[in-house]
Amino acid sequence: MSTVTTPDSASDQVPAQDWVPTMLALAAIWGCSFLFISVGVRELPPLYLALGRVVAGAVVLLAILVVKREPLPRDPRLWAHSFVVGAIGSAIPWTLFGYGEERIPSLLAGIWNGITPLIVLPIAVLLFRTEKFSAQRGFGLLIGFLGMLVVLGAWRVQSGADLLGQGLCMLAAFFYGLAIPYQKRFLAGTTLSGTALSTTLLLCATVQLAIVAPLVTGQAPPAPWSLSPKVLLSVLALGALGSGFAFVLNMRNIRLIGASRSSMVTYLMPVFSILVGVIVLHEHITWYQPVGGLIVLGGVAVSQGLFKNLGGSARRRPLPQ
């Protein structure tokens, strides 16, 4: 998270070629994360896959801090809040997605990740009071809820493993939705750079998973040389790319076009998760899953006022002479 924001008026003046390629790269990296999770859980327990991810991400961000000569925070209260966000924003959801993808295709997990903004809204309104509710947002939530039913195929009888897998991914998205307003409520005012704060969160998640993983799995971490190259590369990609390099790209976009417009990457991620799932893993998809995903994203767009904002931007744009 960054404390740097860009006013809408300023972000409108940034040429699209300066930020669209970066947004597409982010969507590709984060959308492909579900592919890497699917490959990783073939040989690694989900808890150890999540541990490898946070370790690799923390190493990358620590290296960036060393190059930039930035310190880690010293405030105990900030570390305490970071410990909470590290758990609910990284350790728990990344583990849940791993357990979920043991049961369902990666592309379906990517679709469920798209419901996160729908979960953020009611939690931010009711629990943390960082957002205000409106009829438009309520209508967007209703659309999103109907989309979730379509993704589930609520009219069909599905296997227990499929429902459990989807439920785990839905729960992972819930924790994402809990972490975002918590972070906004308790960490948004810090003077730390986004790099230092994210490094702190990953270090906290590393400690948590390093303690919990052996206790829950009942086994020591597997030796890296005992894993196949595909699994090792998947762990490194999840951490170094998804939790390290992608963060740097996201920070660049936030500084260029602001946090609100940068969040539109959420709409593109499921596209990439579906494409790589079908092309690389040869996963099968039924018609109602992407349709439901589009309905969910439509609900997100309505709840965030995206259509209204786009219309307002079009009206403000001067006509060609």
Side-chain angles (χ1 to χ4, degrees), residues 199-321:
T199 305
T200 305
L201 301 179
L202 287 180
L203 289 174
C204 290
T206 298
V207 172
Q208 294 160 359
L209 287 168
I211 296 172
V212 173
L215 294 176
V216 173
T217 63
Q219 63 185 69
W225 53 85
S226 68
L227 303 173
S228 67
K230 287 184 179 180
V231 171
L232 279 175
L233 289 175
S234 294
V235 174
L236 291 175
L238 282 169
L241 290 178
S243 304
F245 180 64
F247 169 77
V248 177
L249 293 180
N250 193 44
M251 286 297 303
R252 177 183 180 276
N253 264 12
I254 289 175
R255 290 190 172 96
L256 281 175
I257 59 175
S260 296
R261 186 175 292 185
S262 297
S263 68
M264 289 192 298
V265 69
T266 305
Y267 301 96
L268 300 174
M269 287 168 54
V271 176
F272 285 95
S273 68
I274 291 174
L275 285 176
V276 297
V278 172
I279 296 173
V280 180
L281 297 179
H282 307 291
E283 295 175 340
H284 299 287
I285 189 170
T286 55
W287 67 267
Y288 56 82
Q289 291 167 345
V291 169
L294 288 174
I295 296 174
V296 167
L297 294 180
V300 171
V302 171
S303 68
Q304 293 184 342
L306 180 62
F307 297 126
K308 181 179 179 181
N309 291 340
L310 289 177
S313 298
R315 287 190 295 270
R316 290 193 302 269
R317 192 175 294 117
L319 295 175
Q321 299 297 320

Side-chain angles (χ1 to χ4, degrees), residues 47 54 64 87 142 148 176 190 193 251 264 271 296 302 305 311 316:
L47 278 162
V54 296
I64 293 174
L142 177 60
M148 287 189 287
Y176 279 154
T190 179
S193 70
M251 286 297 303
M264 289 192 298
V271 176
V296 167
V302 171
R316 290 193 302 269

Side-chain angles (χ1 to χ4, degrees), residues 141-231:
L141 288 176
L142 177 60
I143 295 174
F145 177 74
L146 294 175
M148 287 189 287
L149 293 179
V150 175
V151 173
L152 280 170
W155 60 90
R156 299 176 67 248
V157 178
Q158 295 178 305
S159 67
D162 182 57
L163 285 176
L164 178 59
Q166 295 199 57
L168 289 170
C169 291
M170 190 187 305
L171 185 59
F174 170 82
F175 276 102
Y176 279 154
L178 182 63
I180 291 170
Y182 185 100
Q183 192 169 352
K184 183 176 181 179
R185 173 69 174 80
F186 295 106
L187 296 176
T190 179
T191 57
L192 283 176
S193 70
T195 305
L197 181 57
S198 291
T199 305
T200 305
L201 301 179
L202 287 180
L203 289 174
C204 290
T206 298
V207 172
Q208 294 160 359
L209 287 168
I211 296 172
V212 173
L215 294 176
V216 173
T217 63
Q219 63 185 69
W225 53 85
S226 68
L227 303 173
S228 67
K230 287 184 179 180
V231 171

